[in-house]
Amino acid sequence: MVLMNIQLRHVRSFIAVAQEKSFARAAQRLNVSQPALSQTIIQLEENTGFPLFERTTRAVSLTPSGEKLLARALSLARSMDSFQDEVRRLQLTLKSELRVGFMIGTAVEFIPAIVREFERVRPNAILHLKEYDFSDPSAGLIAGEVDCGIIRPPIGAEDIEIVEIAREKCVACLPVGHRLTERSSVRLDDILDEPIIGAPTPGVWRDYWLASEYRDSSRPAKVVLEVATVESELQAVAMGRGISITADSTARYYGRPGVVFRDITDMRECVIGIGHRGEPTALIADFIAVVRRISVVQEMRVSPTSEIV
């Protein structure tokens, strides 16, 4: 009898390579190096005693044995996710602590009021807030670092439930003197050929703010610089490196000399939501209720886009 030492990281790595059909893409998805991922798969194959993948210079595919194992691996991963969710719920119940991530530049206008109201509603609870930059649009949710997060979907995680809290217009952020600043608003067709500032992490969130769904092969996004914070984004625009697409609240809260904001009339509104996994605990439900109340009381007022020279 062969003694096996198969760990959850082996299973998750196996699933990622099987689904991505590429060690490079799977490594990116798991946020590990490709050599480390290859070593993990080798360890798994040594433990099972048979190859799981056919590897060529062009492609990676499952062996027949690997195909049989994939369904069980997916079932195991789902069971483990469910187990971890239950552990998190029990931890919250016992500790009465809530870890809340929030995306930089998201709901900045009413986070102080949310904290005050939550502390009034739950005086014995401990609220931990953590800000995340553009490199993690899920605000710690995907990594399991927080219990819920104030985010701007899409974030590309099907297992995260999102409760919509508010919507706001998308605006173009332009350098002072740009030809489009003479207009009161712009259309997507006006800006799709412009050099643009993008987020550092590939994915659906970055694509949303590059207006990728409105592009075709003849008008790809010309990303000239990647930045992780609102401050860096606006500074790059002010320096004339390119334009960016952002939310209307950025114009109200982060306006600075050298940048101009103009409404994009034909781009769908962006959403602010609270993300969480599985059935919300009582603590998360109370937090969602507080945010809903505050967002209604302090409704995001739509003011004219501004120019600060």
Side-chain angles (χ1 to χ4, degrees), residues 88-108:
R88 291 189 193 101
R89 280 193 288 271
L90 287 170
Q91 287 174 333
L92 284 174
T93 301
L94 295 172
K95 295 182 179 179
S96 196
E97 294 184 4
L98 187 64
R99 303 169 301 166
V100 179
F102 66 97
M103 182 66 180
I104 189 171
T106 301
V108 290

Side-chain angles (χ1 to χ4, degrees), residues 144-204:
E145 297 171 350
V146 298
D147 306 304
C148 62
I150 303 174
I151 57 175
R152 291 188 190 276
I155 59 171
E158 295 180 359
D159 61 332
I160 292 176
E161 302 290 333
I162 298 175
V163 179
E164 183 177 321
I165 298 301
R167 288 176 176 255
E168 58 180 322
K169 293 182 294 185
C170 294
V171 299
C173 181
L174 311 165
V176 166
H178 191 281
R179 60 184 177 82
L180 294 175
T181 59
E182 297 177 1
R183 305 183 187 183
S184 59
S185 62
V186 298
R187 295 176 58 82
L188 283 161
D189 190 60
D190 300 323
I191 62 174
L192 289 184
D193 295 322
E194 295 285 331
I196 191 167
I197 314 299
T201 307
V204 294

Side-chain angles (χ1 to χ4, degrees), residues 194-265:
E194 295 285 331
I196 191 167
I197 314 299
T201 307
V204 294
W205 191 86
R206 168 183 157 118
D207 289 345
Y208 178 88
W209 295 105
L210 294 177
S212 295
E213 67 178 289
Y214 302 95
R215 299 178 184 274
D216 58 31
S217 59
S218 67
R219 306 181 84 177
K222 302 173 184 176
V223 179
V224 292
L225 184 67
E226 295 179 343
V227 297
T229 67
V230 177
E231 294 292 338
S232 298
E233 174 189 350
L234 298 189
Q235 183 173 345
V237 172
M239 292 169 59
R241 299 291 298 275
I243 71 161
S244 71
I245 297 173
T246 187
D248 186 45
S249 57
T250 301
R252 298 194 302 274
Y253 198 83
Y254 289 96
R256 62 167 58 202
V259 297
V260 179
F261 299 92
R262 293 291 182 259
D263 291 353
I264 305 173
T265 59

Side-chain angles (χ1 to χ4, degrees), residues 45-101:
E45 290 179 323
E46 288 175 348
N47 271 282
T48 60
F50 51 80
L52 300 170
F53 296 100
E54 296 284 354
R55 303 166 176 83
T56 69
T57 56
R58 293 175 176 268
V60 176
S61 60
L62 286 166
T63 62
S65 297
E67 290 277 6
K68 292 178 181 178
L69 206 58
L70 180 59
R72 297 301 296 271
L74 288 167
S75 176
L76 176 61
R78 286 191 295 268
S79 296
M80 194 62 197
D81 287 341
S82 177
F83 173 77
Q84 290 174 337
D85 286 343
E86 184 61 29
V87 170
R88 291 189 193 101
R89 280 193 288 271
L90 287 170
Q91 287 174 333
L92 284 174
T93 301
L94 295 172
K95 295 182 179 179
S96 196
E97 294 184 4
L98 187 64
R99 303 169 301 166
V100 179

